[in-house]
Amino acid sequence: MSDTDDGADLQKVDGRRLRGKQSQMLLMAAVARRYYLQERSRVQIAEELGLSRFQVGRLLERSRETGLVRIEIGLPDDLEMDLSVQLQDRFGLRYCAVTQAPADSPELLRGIVGQAATSLLQEIVTDRDVVGISSTRTLMGLPDPPGGFSRCAVVQITGAVSRIDAWDVMEAVRRFTRAGGGPAYLYYAPMVCPSDSGPEIYRKQPDFVRCQQLFRELTVCAIGIGAWGDGLSTVYEAASARDRETARELGVCAEVVGHLLDDRGRKVQTPLDERMIGISEAELRSVPTRIGIAFDVRKSDAVRAALTSGLINGIVIDHDLAEAVLLGAP
């Protein structure tokens, strides 16, 4: 065989190798496209391409190893990954979003945290969910979600608190249903009744009874976290001076949808308990996803108490508050 013949044979071998590699890359691309973009299962892909599911798994691994598939985790520019991960790991949270926001402007801070909470809800809520909304400043006064919202049922889970700006929990519920087109379930009642005789009247109202029946079907809740002080809790503002002082003497540090906690996250029984119109502690704990929302570094002890209590398993807060919570965590 001549040198020329040897060279021709080598070219044929190299050509087969090249075609083999190209075929392998094309197969990896076909598997990866079906799995990552078309969301087919490994079993479905195996059936479509005449492979075993183990071969599909190996091709997916090779597609990442070779760089054919590159997975990136992206966050909006105003979210902080490190603090979010630290909080999530420290308290075992399902969801955590820490926003970058100027601490010297409370109104701007509230708006940014509220928008972050809205974005998280848009991300995790589906048409099959039943969403509960509580009275919380961060979700009041915001515009409708710009990208729309899932066509899910939205339920009011606390009574309303009178506000000078006219925004209340009922308007927050309507805001989400306007964007998504799902049903809104509302009831007209204060968050805290002024007298012991009032609660039973409100609890017998058909609108409240209908909402209460839905409390057991909730899958996601957006709930405010308050600290026991002026300007830091809607319940504190709705309570009388005597109720405030009694709760303070009993060691109340935090408030989560009307449930009062001490600095170790334990429920504190106060005279206010019987006058609250809203979701019970047991009903709240049965909700799979409970997103707490808070801003203002002065709430650090309250947020830590809420996280320790287990009443929430997700949180959206601002940078300074997140740092303060972690600093004081055991």
Side-chain angles (χ1 to χ4, degrees), residues 184-229:
Y185 296 93
L186 307 165
Y187 61 91
Y188 293 87
M191 190 168 184
V192 182
C193 285
S195 65
D196 294 336
S197 59
E200 287 308 310
I201 297 174
Y202 288 111
R203 289 172 185 148
K204 291 178 181 178
Q205 289 184 358
D207 287 344
F208 178 76
V209 172
R210 182 176 57 175
C211 286
Q212 190 174 40
Q213 290 171 346
L214 288 170
F215 290 168
R216 305 180 189 94
E217 299 179 23
L218 294 170
T219 56
V220 179
C221 277
I223 53 185
I225 302 172
W228 201 243

Side-chain angles (χ1 to χ4, degrees), residues 244-289:
R244 295 174 184 176
E245 188 57 34
T246 299
R248 185 177 289 108
E249 290 173 354
L250 291 171
V252 170
C253 163
E255 170 264 315
V256 179
V257 289
H259 303 294
L260 307 185
L261 310 172
D262 66 13
D263 59 1
R264 297 174 63 182
R266 299 173 301 190
K267 178 73 181 286
V268 179
Q269 302 293 332
T270 78
L272 282 170
D273 292 347
E274 298 302 318
R275 307 207 310 269
M276 296 286 185
I277 309 297
I279 192 169
S280 70
E281 180 184 2
E283 289 166 335
L284 179 60
R285 288 187 183 276
S286 70
V287 180
T289 301

Side-chain angles (χ1 to χ4, degrees), residues 10 12 15-16 39 52 66 96 99 115 131 147 170 178 191 195 203 205 211 215 224 257 275 287 312 317:
L10 287 172
K12 290 179 182 178
R16 286 196 297 271
E39 297 185 348
S52 72
T66 60
C96 182
T99 67
Q115 290 290 2
V131 178
M170 289 179 282
R178 276 198 303 268
M191 190 168 184
S195 65
R203 289 172 185 148
Q205 289 184 358
C211 286
F215 290 168
V257 289
R275 307 207 310 269
V287 180
I312 61 174
I317 58 175

Side-chain angles (χ1 to χ4, degrees), residues 40-323:
R40 287 182 170 85
S41 70
R42 297 188 183 195
V43 173
Q44 290 173 317
I45 297 170
E47 291 175 351
E48 291 172 4
L49 299 179
L51 304 169
S52 72
R53 60 190 178 90
F54 301 105
Q55 287 175 308
V56 170
R58 181 56 185 157
L59 286 166
L60 288 171
E61 289 179 10
R62 286 286 297 152
S63 68
R64 293 193 298 270
E65 291 170 358
T66 60
L68 179 66
V69 170
R70 294 182 296 276
I71 298 174
E72 296 181 356
I73 300 174
L75 284 175
D77 292 339
D78 60 348
L79 293 184
E80 297 197 10
M81 172 68 86
D82 289 344
L83 279 176
S84 298
V85 171
Q86 288 180 55
L87 271 178
Q88 190 166 13
D89 291 346
R90 172 62 187 80
F91 293 99
L93 302 173
R94 295 186 66 181
Y95 301 100
C96 182
V98 178
T99 67
Q100 298 175 353
D104 57 347
S105 175
E107 288 303 311
L108 183 57
L109 185 61
R110 183 185 80 171
I112 291 174
V113 172
Q115 290 290 2
T118 298
S119 296
L120 177 58
L121 291 173
Q122 285 179 279
E123 180 73 22
I124 67 176
V125 171
T126 70
D127 292 352
R128 296 185 300 275
D129 283 304
V130 180
V131 178
I133 302 293
S134 77
S135 179
T136 170
R137 286 183 178 88
T138 50
L139 294 181
M140 296 178 187
L142 294 173
D144 292 347
F149 197 68
S150 296
R151 191 180 176 84
C152 61
V154 185
V155 184
Q156 176 183 338
I157 62 172
T158 63
V161 176
S162 298
R163 295 177 56 80
I164 297 175
D165 56 17
W167 287 96
D168 58 22
V169 62
M170 289 179 282
E171 180 56 34
V173 170
R174 293 189 187 100
R175 170 176 163 261
F176 285 102
T177 55
R178 276 198 303 268
Y185 296 93
L186 307 165
Y187 61 91
Y188 293 87
M191 190 168 184
V192 182
C193 285
S195 65
D196 294 336
S197 59
E200 287 308 310
I201 297 174
Y202 288 111
R203 289 172 185 148
K204 291 178 181 178
Q205 289 184 358
D207 287 344
F208 178 76
V209 172
R210 182 176 57 175
C211 286
Q212 190 174 40
Q213 290 171 346
L214 288 170
F215 290 168
R216 305 180 189 94
E217 299 179 23
L218 294 170
T219 56
V220 179
C221 277
I223 53 185
I225 302 172
W228 201 243
D230 192 27
L232 301 175
S233 164
T234 53
V235 172
Y236 181 91
E237 293 172 359
S240 67
R242 181 178 179 181
D243 287 329
R244 295 174 184 176
E245 188 57 34
T246 299
R248 185 177 289 108
E249 290 173 354
L250 291 171
V252 170
C253 163
E255 170 264 315
V256 179
V257 289
H259 303 294
L260 307 185
L261 310 172
D262 66 13
D263 59 1
R264 297 174 63 182
R266 299 173 301 190
K267 178 73 181 286
V268 179
Q269 302 293 332
T270 78
L272 282 170
D273 292 347
E274 298 302 318
R275 307 207 310 269
M276 296 286 185
I277 309 297
I279 192 169
S280 70
E281 180 184 2
E283 289 166 335
L284 179 60
R285 288 187 183 276
S286 70
V287 180
T289 301
R290 308 176 299 278
I291 306 295
I293 309 169
F295 68 99
D296 195 325
V297 71
R298 293 177 295 169
K299 289 187 178 182
S300 60
D301 291 340
V303 169
R304 200 177 304 112
L307 289 167
T308 304
S309 73
L311 286 176
I312 61 174
N313 58 10
I315 195 166
V316 180
I317 58 175
D318 64 273
H319 171 276
D320 289 355
L321 179 52
E323 284 194 330

